Each structure stands twice: as C-alpha cells, then as structure tokens.
C-alpha cells in the first residue's frame, strides 16, 4: 500500500529502461521486457489497493511499432497476450476496470480477442481503471479525433463554431480519461515521447533513474510524496499569493 494524495486521480507511466536493465546484466532485451511485466503487476496492484482512480501505462508506442525489430515486437505481443490471460484473476480480484487505448485494430486477432475479453470481463468493476496504451501516439490520438470531427462537420452534424475542448475531448480514445495529474518516467530521460499529449497539459512530471524492471513501492512512494509537495497553479497564481 502507498498513500495516494487526495488530489491525485490519474497517474501515467512511461515504462522505460527494460533494454538497459537487461544489458547491464549481460542478458537479452527480452529478459528485460519479461521482468518489466512483473513491475506492471506490482505497480498495478499496489495502486489499485491504494485507491487510485486511473492508471495509464505506456506499453507500446506507434514509433516502437514501426521502428523496433519485428522479432522484438512479436515478443512484446506474445508477452502482452500472456499478460491479458494470466492477469484476469488479478484484475478481477482487485476490482480493476481494464481498457486499452491506441491503434489496436492493427494488432493480430489473437491479441485483440484477449483485449476485448478482459475489457468486457472487467467492465462492471468499479475500482481503479488500468489503461494500457498500445500502438499509441499522442499525435495519432489527436489526429484520429480531428478526423472524426471533420467527418461530423462534413455530414452537417457539427458546426465548426460549436467546436470546443469538451467536444474534442469526447473524440479521444477514452473520453472518460481524466487529465494526467502525475506523469512518471523511469530510466532517466526527460521527455514526454508523444504520450497523452492532450491529457498531460498540466501534469506534474517525476523522473527516476531507476529502470522499469526495478521500479517498485519505494519509487512509487517517492513519486507520490513529490507530487504531494507540489503547488499546482494551472496557469493561475499560487494560492498563497495575495492579489
Ligand atoms: C521500454 O524499454 C519499454 C518498452 C518499449 C515496452 C514496455 C513493455 C513492458 C513493460 C512489458 C510488456 C507490458 C505488458 C503490459 C505486457 P526499452 O526497451 O525502450 O528500454 P531501453 O530504452 O533501455 O532500451
């Protein structure tokens, strides 16, 4: 269990460093990914038990999908499929609602079937949402939303002047996803890497040098404590400042 600050609804994590974790041990990158799955399970259950509302994990980007060697992608898809089957119990026991965002229609049927199954199976749970970003890109998400809105305008179902942030948000992959409050990135890089670009606008960023397979409760506590000590202004003035 970790203590989730009251104002923290949505944690999003860029799980980086599986390859470096494996290299440092003279192992193949695939071993890093396998260990990475254990961290996914650990972090998901800890945050679900702690009462967090929404957790999004960046498991595969659109860039990974086209730029990584095919065998590595095949391996990740195999791990994902296995995860979706093996974790059914953990998801249900922890009252977690599962969902996926991204261009998953490009995935093989065997993986899509398990994604649909777990989404369907867990849809009436009312605990934490676990959202996996798969073949996901923040720009693609916005582009897909704009395409859908353009179609509505063309068909006379939407006036361009009526378009506002709320309507655009309604076309994102998961319209119910709250804004990201805390973005965690492992393995040291100070980048957003095309993750949840719309939702992360006012997110607090916390980066650790720890590689994803070593990420655990200690790092989570540090991140949550850091979040708890920050003053969020959303473009306004600090609360304590007099006008
Ligand atoms: C980044 O490490 C990690 C990924 C591209 C994949 C993330 C996948 C997992 C954590 C495991 C699969 C997840 C599920 C839910 C089954 P990297 O390989 O880019 O590391 P590097 O930057 O050190 O090379």
């Amino acid at each position: 269990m970790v203590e989730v600050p009251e104002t923290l609804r949505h944690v999003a994590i860029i799980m980086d460093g599986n390859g470096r974790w494996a290299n440092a041990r003279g192992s193949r990158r695939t071993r890093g990914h396998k260990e990475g799955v254990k961290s996914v399970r650990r972090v998901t259950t800890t945050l679900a038990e702690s009462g967090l509302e929404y957790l999004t994990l960046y498991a595969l980007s659109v860039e990974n999908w086209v730029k990584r060697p095919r065998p590595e992608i095949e391996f990740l898809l195999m791990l994902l499929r296995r995860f979706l089957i093996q974790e059914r119990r953990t998801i249900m026991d922890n009252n977690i609602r599962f969902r996926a965002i991204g261009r998953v229609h490009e995935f093989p049927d065997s993986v899509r079937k398990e994604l649909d199954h777990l989404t369907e199976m867990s849809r009436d749970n009312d605990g934490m949402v676990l959202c996996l970003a798969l073949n996901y890109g923040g720009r693609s998400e916005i582009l897909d939303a704009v395409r859908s809105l353009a179609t509505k305008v063309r068909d006379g179902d939407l006036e361009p002047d009526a378009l506002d942030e709320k309507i655009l948000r309604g076309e994102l992959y998961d319209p119910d996803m709250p804004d990201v409050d805390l973005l965690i990135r492992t393995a040291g890089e100070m980048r957003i890497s095309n993750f949840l670009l719309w939702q992360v606008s006012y997110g607090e960023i916390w980066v650790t040098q720890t590689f994803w397979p070593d990420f655990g409760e200690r790092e989570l506590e540090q991140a949550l404590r850091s979040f708890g000590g920050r003053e969020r202004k959303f473009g306004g003035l600090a609360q304590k400042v007099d006008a």
Side-chain angles (χ1 to χ4, degrees):
M1 280 277 257
V2 288
E3 200 173 322
V4 173
E6 220 174 278
T7 54
L8 179 59
R9 295 179 66 197
H10 184 186
V11 173
I13 308 183
I14 301 177
M15 310 181 287
D16 201 8
N18 293 349
R20 278 166 281 174
W21 182 93
N23 281 342
R25 285 159 181 75
S27 299
R28 292 168 187 247
R29 296 174 57 75
T30 46
R31 185 159 163 242
H33 294 319
K34 265 189 179 169
E35 287 296 315
V37 176
K38 294 184 190 164
S39 299
V40 169
R41 183 180 307 123
R42 211 164 45 228
V43 167
T44 300
T45 46
T46 302
L47 286 173
E49 282 168 9
S50 305
L52 182 74
E53 193 179 324
Y54 211 105
L55 172 66
T56 307
L57 302 176
Y58 206 2
L60 196 70
S61 71
V62 284
E63 290 79 17
N64 295 154
W65 181 246
V66 290
K67 290 186 186 158
R68 297 256 165 150
R70 210 56 219 167
E72 183 169 342
I73 295 296
E74 300 289 342
F75 186 81
L76 283 168
L77 287 174
M78 183 278 290
L79 277 186
L80 171 65
R81 184 166 174 274
R82 206 155 71 183
F83 172 88
L84 296 168
I85 297 169
Q86 287 180 348
E87 298 312 310
R88 281 178 196 160
R89 183 94 205 224
T90 317
I91 299 279
M92 297 310 288
D93 285 353
N94 286 280
N95 192 22
I96 292 170
R97 244 174 313 163
F98 174 84
R99 54 186 71 158
I101 54 168
R103 293 179 170 172
V104 286
H105 54 272
E106 293 174 15
F107 280 7
D109 285 350
S110 58
V111 178
R112 279 192 3 234
K113 188 174 132 241
E114 300 306 336
L115 285 169
D116 290 346
H117 185 84
L118 194 54
T119 307
E120 194 51 41
M121 185 179 193
S122 66
R123 71 176 323 130
D124 293 329
N125 290 347
D126 59 4
M128 185 184 80
V129 173
L130 168 64
C131 177
L132 289 188
L134 298 164
N135 195 12
Y136 173 87
R139 288 183 177 179
S140 313
E141 177 173 34
I142 294 170
L143 188 61
D144 287 347
V146 168
R147 196 174 283 136
S148 158
L149 290 168
T151 306
K152 288 187 178 170
V153 170
R154 185 198 60 196
D155 295 346
D157 295 330
L158 177 69
E159 281 296 319
D161 285 345
L163 186 54
D164 58 15
E165 289 188 8
K166 191 159 168 260
I167 293 178
L168 195 146
R169 179 169 213 120
E171 297 295 331
L172 296 177
Y173 293 144
D174 178 2
D176 299 329
M177 178 186 281
D179 274 349
V180 174
D181 297 303
L182 175 62
L183 174 68
I184 295 175
R185 181 169 189 144
T186 59
E189 249 100 43
M190 301 282 185
R191 283 195 285 275
I192 305 281
S193 296
N194 199 16
F195 189 35
L196 301 176
L197 293 180
W198 180 274
Q199 301 87 338
V200 86
S201 296
Y202 291 98
E204 297 292 327
I205 302 178
W206 189 83
V207 176
T208 175
Q209 296 299 323
T210 303
F211 296 141
W212 177 248
D214 286 332
F215 188 92
E217 211 160 289
R218 195 173 67 96
E219 286 77 10
L220 255 187
E221 268 166 8
Q222 287 170 356
L224 299 184
R225 207 171 320 120
S226 168
F227 177 87
R230 299 200 196 176
E231 184 159 31
R232 306 184 74 194
K233 298 192 292 191
F234 299 98
L237 296 176
Q239 297 213 322
K240 292 182 211 94
V241 173
D242 290 330

